[in-house]
Amino acid sequence: MATIEECRAALTRLSDSMRHAEGDVRAAAAMDRSVSCHITDLDVTFVGRLTGGRIEVHDTLEGPTREKAQLRLAIKGDDLLALVDGELHFARAWASGRVRLEAGLRDLFHLRKLL
């Protein structure tokens, strides 16, 4: 089972790869939105902001967050690591229920370029 530190490091790697993206992916990553990533098996939530093409994690909370971020992801720690390392395809993981993504319709259209 992935640790909290490994999950935080995976989010940092994801942020770094988004920052260096080009084209449509770079445009999608340039959104300015509040974000949360609930690691379901660890029952912790990373909260922060997607801004300037990066994910800035501001806090780590126990359990799911009470305040709804504009972009919300729920995933097991091992699946997060596999997703960031390219071993798990987002669309297949989402379709099978391994990943849950919640956002407004407009944001989902932008995010599809990232995913």
Side-chain angles (χ1 to χ4, degrees):
M1 176 168 26
T3 66
I4 293 172
E5 294 78 19
E6 290 171 325
C7 292
R8 181 181 286 276
L11 289 173
T12 299
R13 287 193 314 275
L14 176 61
S15 179
D16 290 343
S17 65
M18 288 171 41
R19 189 180 79 193
H20 294 101
E22 297 180 6
D24 288 343
V25 174
R26 184 179 192 97
M31 296 172 26
D32 185 15
R33 299 286 185 272
S34 60
V35 297
S36 67
C37 180
H38 182 227
I39 309 300
T40 58
D41 55 335
L42 299 174
D43 200 26
V44 298
T45 302
F46 296 101
V47 293
R49 191 140 201 100
L50 171 63
T51 185
R54 292 190 54 83
I55 300 169
E56 298 175 357
V57 176
H58 297 147
D59 205 358
T60 306
L61 308 172
E62 289 188 27
T65 181
R66 291 187 183 116
E67 294 182 30
K68 282 196 171 183
Q70 292 167 305
L71 307 175
R72 299 172 301 281
L73 183 70
I75 189 170
K76 287 184 178 180
D78 289 339
D79 288 341
L80 175 64
L81 298 180
L83 186 69
V84 171
D85 291 338
E87 299 167 4
L88 178 64
H89 189 269
F90 182 86
R92 283 188 223 124
W94 176 75
S96 69
R98 290 172 70 178
V99 175
R100 203 172 69 236
L101 174 66
E102 298 176 15
L105 188 58
R106 186 176 180 193
D107 289 337
L108 287 173
F109 281 121
H110 286 291
L111 289 174
R112 76 172 196 266
K113 297 171 189 172
L114 286 173
L115 312 172

